[in-house]
Amino acid sequence: MVTVAFERELEAALREKDVAWLSHMMGECGSQDAAELMARMGRQQRALFYRTLPRDVAVDTFDALDPAVQADLVKALPEIGEVFEGMEPDDRAELLDELPASVASRLVAELSDGERELTGIVLGYPEDSIGRRMSPELITLRPSMAVGEALEVVNAHLDDAESIYTLPVVEDDRRIAGVVSLRDLLRASESTRLADLVQEPDLAVAHESAEEAARRCADRKRLALPIVDTEDRLVGLLTVDDALCILEEADSEDQARMGGSEPLRRPYLATPVYEIVASRVVWLLVLAIGATLTVRVLEGFEDTIASMVVLSVFVPLLIGTGGNTGNQAATTVTRALALGDVRPRDVLKVVFREARVGAMLGVLLGSLGFTIAGFVYGWSIGAVIGLTLVSICTLAATVGGVMPLVGKKLGIDPAVFANPFITTLVDATGLIIYFLIAKSVLGI
């Protein structure tokens, strides 16, 4: 485990470019520790650090890095082609997506014929599809094989396949007949035919969404998920570790977008400041433009505010409550969409449920607002605040629940439709509701 004292010594050695110290100390550093340390370094320090790692540690460390950090290393270290050759085809495809075309072409050209062919299979699928994240390196068995023969095949390809725990069983035309687990093979007698052991597989089609396939693999607790083409021919395997990586990336992306920014492609401390600015500034501009709706609403009710200035005191409270209520609903429904708990066709069910939730929250908050505002500013003002909170909470929860479903139906990331836009929309409509209720109750 890396200590704080060790990190300080390492930082000093990197500043002074003390290669002798680095080479000596890094000989005792594991690949995971090295990857975590590199995620906190600048580009030049990272390249120097990587050069001092022992060869076997360097290969494993490179595999553990984010693709964007791998790309930085490739650009800084031209000699990294040997490590590129040793990568899994799916990891190699991720890295190539991060590299300039000229660098990617050079690395692919330097691959052996076999590795270039495997990489080409993965690169042939769309970037967000599961075909792009599957491993084409797998062991296939035949239904007619005996268990003893199958175990010999597995043993002969132990170093070639990414996973041996879930073994696809295919017909002669590579159409999948089922799967068999290594546990079942070891438990059965050697003369037993695989046709007697094969189980119905959970499958994913190569062109379907990587996140959906990964979610299925995790939800059904599969060690691996066979990937087939449109004619049910086996083309690859999604392992559970890759599935978990896909889900982690998707979750990070959703969290970033619900917070009003784009996801960072590198670890935070390894991300240049200008990239962090770029990931946030677009959303801030969009929200700033959206906020002009709120300004226009306030201008439209300028006379109402002038006749009773106390109404302006409650504006931050009301729009804040509406925005928070909408964000809560959007976050809940977005998560339910990701887990497959709801689908776009459930929109009416979600509307009915969130309207009731919003109304109940509004009654609770509105009662509190009515009591406090009534004591301080008079019961007529308290009635305005109470009724507005009921209305805004009901509206915000309903809109917040529906927007992610609309986004999913339109093929847009539901997280994009979530918090930032909901906040802007509810702010403007909430103020209209507020002033209309005030005019009606107060007679102004």
Side-chain angles (χ1 to χ4, degrees):
M1 182 176 177
V2 176
T3 63
V4 175
F6 178 84
E7 284 197 60
R8 288 173 179 165
E9 291 183 43
L10 175 61
E11 291 172 2
L14 288 170
R15 282 196 303 271
E16 298 168 7
K17 297 184 179 180
D18 188 347
V19 176
W21 185 93
L22 290 169
S23 300
H24 173 69
M25 295 304 295
M26 291 306 101
E28 303 175 5
C29 186
S31 58
Q32 288 299 324
D33 287 338
E36 290 177 12
L37 289 168
M38 291 177 70
R40 302 170 62 84
M41 297 178 186
R43 293 185 181 183
Q44 298 303 318
Q45 288 184 327
R46 196 183 302 131
L48 174 62
F49 176 85
Y50 187 80
R51 275 197 169 105
T52 64
L53 293 174
R55 185 181 180 282
D56 56 338
V57 176
V59 172
D60 291 339
T61 299
F62 192 84
D63 285 340
L65 296 172
D66 289 342
V69 179
Q70 290 176 337
D72 290 342
L73 274 179
V74 169
K75 287 181 254 185
L77 305 173
E79 69 273 15
I80 212 157
E82 185 178 349
V83 177
F84 187 70
E85 172 81 21
M87 296 178 70
E88 299 293 339
D90 53 324
D91 295 333
R92 201 181 288 138
E94 275 196 88
L95 171 56
L96 290 172
D97 289 335
E98 299 287 342
L99 293 170
S102 58
V103 179
S105 299
R106 173 179 62 81
L107 287 174
V108 171
E110 293 174 356
L111 289 172
S112 62
D113 292 342
E115 292 298 329
R116 190 183 306 118
E117 181 180 354
L118 291 172
T119 304
I121 292 173
V122 177
L123 289 173
Y125 293 100
E127 189 170 337
D128 293 330
S129 70
I130 195 58
R132 194 63 165 257
R133 305 297 295 269
M134 71 181 183
S135 172
E137 295 182 305
L138 69 164
I139 298 171
T140 57
L141 305 174
R142 297 283 187 271
S144 58
M145 284 182 175
V147 168
E149 182 184 358
L151 287 173
E152 289 179 5
V153 172
V154 172
N155 192 56
H157 295 88
L158 286 176
D159 296 330
D160 302 330
E162 184 161 341
S163 176
I164 62 170
Y165 303 108
T166 298
L167 300 162
V169 180
V170 298
E171 306 288 355
D172 292 336
D173 58 359
R174 289 190 68 81
R175 281 187 170 82
I176 189 160
V179 295
V180 62
S181 69
L182 182 62
R183 181 193 298 271
D184 288 342
L185 288 183
L186 294 173
R187 186 163 45 196
S189 64
E190 292 191 356
S191 60
T192 303
R193 296 290 171 185
L194 294 192
D196 298 327
L197 298 175
V198 71
Q199 300 173 354
E200 189 71 21
D202 291 315
L203 301 174
V205 180
H207 283 86
E208 76 173 276
S209 161
E211 183 179 350
E212 291 178 5
R215 185 75 61 189
R216 191 180 314 135
C217 181
D219 287 348
R220 299 183 183 180
K221 297 177 174 59
R222 303 302 184 192
L223 292 177
L225 203 66
I227 310 299
V228 298
D229 61 14
T230 53
E231 297 180 355
D232 286 336
R233 287 193 293 260
L234 184 70
V235 293
L237 204 66
L238 172 67
T239 56
V240 65
D241 57 326
D242 287 335
L244 294 177
C245 286
I246 292 170
L247 294 178
E248 182 181 356
E249 292 169 10
D251 186 62
S252 297
E253 184 177 274
D254 288 347
Q255 292 299 320
R257 287 178 173 167
M258 284 190 289
S261 68
E262 284 298 304
L264 300 178
R265 293 163 42 246
R266 295 173 172 82
Y268 175 76
L269 291 178
T271 304
V273 171
Y274 71 87
E275 287 190 14
I276 297 177
V277 172
S279 73
R280 299 179 185 178
V281 67
V282 173
W283 286 100
L284 289 176
L285 289 173
V286 169
L287 292 174
I289 294 171
T292 59
L293 289 174
T294 304
V295 175
R296 296 295 297 173
V297 170
L298 290 172
E299 288 179 352
F301 289 95
E302 190 173 357
D303 293 340
T304 304
I305 296 173
S307 62
M308 189 162 285
V309 179
V310 71
L311 292 176
S312 63
V313 173
F314 295 96
V315 168
L317 166 69
L318 297 174
I319 64 176
T321 301
N324 291 336
T325 304
N327 290 343
Q328 287 178 334
T331 301
T332 302
V333 174
T334 299
R335 185 61 178 166
L337 271 173
L339 295 174
D341 293 341
V342 297
R343 297 175 177 84
R345 66 172 179 265
D346 298 320
V347 61
L348 292 180
K349 295 179 181 178
V350 172
V351 167
F352 184 55
R353 177 174 291 264
E354 287 298 333
R356 286 183 294 162
V357 171
M360 292 176 68
L361 290 171
V363 169
L364 292 171
L365 295 175
S367 298
L368 183 63
F370 169 74
T371 302
I372 296 175
F375 271 119
V376 178
Y377 296 99
W379 296 111
S380 58
I381 294 294
V384 170
I385 300 306
L387 291 171
T388 302
L389 283 171
V390 173
S391 303
I392 285 180
C393 287
T394 304
L395 172 70
T398 305
V399 171
V402 168
M403 292 296 273
L405 298 175
V406 173
K408 184 73 172 180
K409 185 66 176 178
L410 295 176
I412 303 171
D413 188 342
V416 174
F417 257 61
N419 299 4
F421 288 115
I422 289 169
T423 299
T424 301
L425 178 62
V426 171
D427 284 356
T429 55
L431 286 178
I432 293 174
I433 291 171
Y434 175 44
F435 289 119
L436 289 177
I437 289 175
K439 292 179 72 172
S440 176
V441 173
L442 302 176
I444 56 176

